[in-house]
Amino acid sequence: MPGRTTKEDTPQDAQMEDAPTSAQVGEAQVEDEIEEDQEEEVEPQRVRILPGSTDTAASFEFIDEGHTLGNALRYVIMKNPDVEFCAYSIPHPSEPKMNIRIQTYDGHAVDALKKGLADLQDVCDVVAEKFWTKREEYNAEHGIAR
Amino acid sequence: MAPSKKASWTNAPDAEELEKRNTVGIHKETVTHNTSVDFPGHVPGEDEAFSLDRFRDGFSVDFHQNDPFHASFSLMGIDASLSNAFRRILISEIPTLAVENVFIEINTSVVQDEVLAHRLGLIPFKGGKEGLHNFLKWHKKPEPGEDAYKNSYDWNTVSLELNVKCTLNEDADPREDDPRKAYHNAHVYARDIVFTPTGAQEQYFAGDDAIAPVHPDILIAKMRPGQQIGLTMHMHKGIGADHAKFSPVATASYRLMPIIKITRPILGADAEKFQKCFPDGVIALDKVSAKEAAQKGSGYESHVGETKAVVADPMRDTVSRECLRHPEFEGKVKLGRRRDHFIFSIESSGQWDSDELFMESVKHMKLKCKKLEQQVMDMVR
């Protein structure tokens, strides 16, 4: 029936946990988007090391990621002085996959990837903080109350 | 060994060199220096490694406009790969609520069912922010063959109704030829859609917070007496990557800050012609001062009081390159764009405020990285 409501004692995320996993692509995307408060749900593994990789030269496959993350991650990883080479590619446009290749002078490729993801988070914090400060300043200056 | 580590000496590029590296060259028929080169090892002895403090010092924001439907601001000191990520997230990854299922009971109008459903899907809706962003969650589509209403609850489905019937207006002049006056409900508008709250929606979407079309005057269909539309709609949360109707922005784009450099004086009638090569307000006309004329080698000698062209507001330029087509300006002007100055323009479709959307895209990017960081750790384990 339309407009059904859940009983107060039923946790909302239980609805999604009970659902059987299916092979449909659309579903994987939905699960990807589930918000933080539903994190107890087991997320499928979306990152793997491709065969043929060594400690200092590895390729990683990301499922359900694209140019948005690929290029940003490539940039911060290239900023790491221990990294000799980093590039990303989307092998085929109809597969939801993104590959990243990392070769290092020193240390593990996995560590360079981890550092890249951590640096990106730091960048986001700085951008958000500065953006909000400026927005508040601009709104105060122009009498915008929202 | 990393080349930057081998070098015991360190160089810092001077201001001129930095400006050169930060400029995308725009010439008559080509665009040059369009890739970033701020990577360690690109220039021997230079330290270009990522450091959060350096990023924080170099990064700045400047607001130009901040309305709910249009925000414009500059991000400076950030690479294209990062600002492009924010732009892409704005368009395709921030969730909004839109009509997903239309249950048509009767449709005798000339608009076919599927066309009508498509039109309804594209109407942007607004509602209480708390309810839209925190209360409403994802809806899981029922499997083929399952009950269409399965998985629909007050926390993931918003129900709307549209019931209109066109009738003859008995009070109208029989010779009246405006159908809107001659008939009742000849035009069906977005404002005719009725929101039917269920369960907790009554608290989250009460009064001004009710789910309603952003623009009440959107024309959905036209009818004649005897025709009727009766349908129920289910709205779900979705993302722009799935369907454009879920995209929270009408446009989200950026352009690079234009640079216009007058390298040799442009004087007199040429200055006026030069001004006309650009949009209004980009080039201003000024008089050559005595001080400038006194300066040897400035090119202003013995031109006191003449008109000269000066750059007033390069941001308004569209970089049409018109000035490069005229021989009289050859060698006198250089065009370019600043590689790390992004002028963003975000137009919201109404469900979010435009500035709020950018914040959301940054938050989204961070969350994405956080989740993947965990995934990488799980992968190693």
Side-chain angles (χ1 to χ4, degrees), chain B residues 324-343:
Chain B
L324 301 179
R325 296 178 62 235
H326 302 279
E328 54 267 56
F329 306 134
E330 217 152 274
K332 290 185 174 178
V333 61
K334 262 190 180 162
L335 295 186
R337 303 194 97 133
R338 255 190 76 186
R339 190 196 309 289
D340 66 343
H341 185 151
F342 298 87
I343 305 165

Side-chain angles (χ1 to χ4, degrees), chain B residues 231-250:
Chain B
L231 49 85
T232 311
M233 292 170 260
H234 279 187
M235 303 177 85
H236 297 307
K237 260 193 178 180
I239 54 167
D242 177 38
H243 193 293
K245 70 185 174 189
F246 291 120
S247 184
V249 290

Side-chain angles (χ1 to χ4, degrees), chain B residues 192-233:
Chain B
D192 298 324
I193 296 172
V194 182
F195 166 50
T196 49
T198 41
Q201 288 173 9
E202 277 166 32
Q203 289 115 62
Y204 285 103
F205 304 115
D208 283 349
D209 288 342
I211 302 285
V214 178
H215 309 284
D217 291 336
I218 297 172
L219 184 64
I220 298 169
K222 290 184 179 182
M223 295 197 293
R224 285 297 176 267
Q227 295 181 345
Q228 190 184 352
I229 291 175
L231 49 85
T232 311
M233 292 170 260

Side-chain angles (χ1 to χ4, degrees), chain B residues 22-24 58 60 75-80 256-257 337-342:
Chain B
N22 250 335
T23 307
V24 177
S60 60
L75 299 187
M76 289 155 280
I78 191 167
D79 190 72
L256 292 178
M257 178 67 146
R337 303 194 97 133
R338 255 190 76 186
R339 190 196 309 289
D340 66 343
H341 185 151
F342 298 87

Side-chain angles (χ1 to χ4, degrees), chain B residues 125-276:
Chain B
F125 282 83
K126 61 178 181 181
K129 296 245 163 79
E130 172 63 21
L132 284 175
H133 304 161
N134 297 329
F135 169 65
L136 286 176
K137 303 266 171 3
W138 299 99
H139 172 258
K140 191 181 166 297
K141 207 174 177 172
E143 298 291 315
E146 278 185 327
D147 178 12
Y149 298 134
K150 200 188 168 212
N151 304 335
S152 287
Y153 300 96
D154 62 338
W155 49 267
N156 65 15
T157 307
V158 170
S159 190
L160 303 169
E161 276 172 24
L162 178 62
N163 290 303
V164 273
K165 192 173 182 179
C166 184
T167 50
L168 201 68
N169 183 3
E170 304 288 353
D171 305 330
D173 186 334
R175 282 165 301 169
E176 176 64 58
D177 57 3
D178 182 355
R180 282 171 301 177
K181 289 177 190 151
Y183 320 123
H184 294 296
N185 292 325
H187 291 184
V188 184
Y189 290 104
R191 59 170 166 268
D192 298 324
I193 296 172
V194 182
F195 166 50
T196 49
T198 41
Q201 288 173 9
E202 277 166 32
Q203 289 115 62
Y204 285 103
F205 304 115
D208 283 349
D209 288 342
I211 302 285
V214 178
H215 309 284
D217 291 336
I218 297 172
L219 184 64
I220 298 169
K222 290 184 179 182
M223 295 197 293
R224 285 297 176 267
Q227 295 181 345
Q228 190 184 352
I229 291 175
L231 49 85
T232 311
M233 292 170 260
H234 279 187
M235 303 177 85
H236 297 307
K237 260 193 178 180
I239 54 167
D242 177 38
H243 193 293
K245 70 185 174 189
F246 291 120
S247 184
V249 290
T251 61
S253 66
Y254 58 71
R255 62 197 178 98
L256 292 178
M257 178 67 146
I259 300 171
I260 305 160
K261 252 180 146 176
I262 299 173
T263 50
R264 285 211 329 254
I266 298 170
L267 301 163
D270 275 1
E272 279 167 43
K273 187 177 174 187
F274 188 71
Q275 190 183 34
K276 288 201 183 92

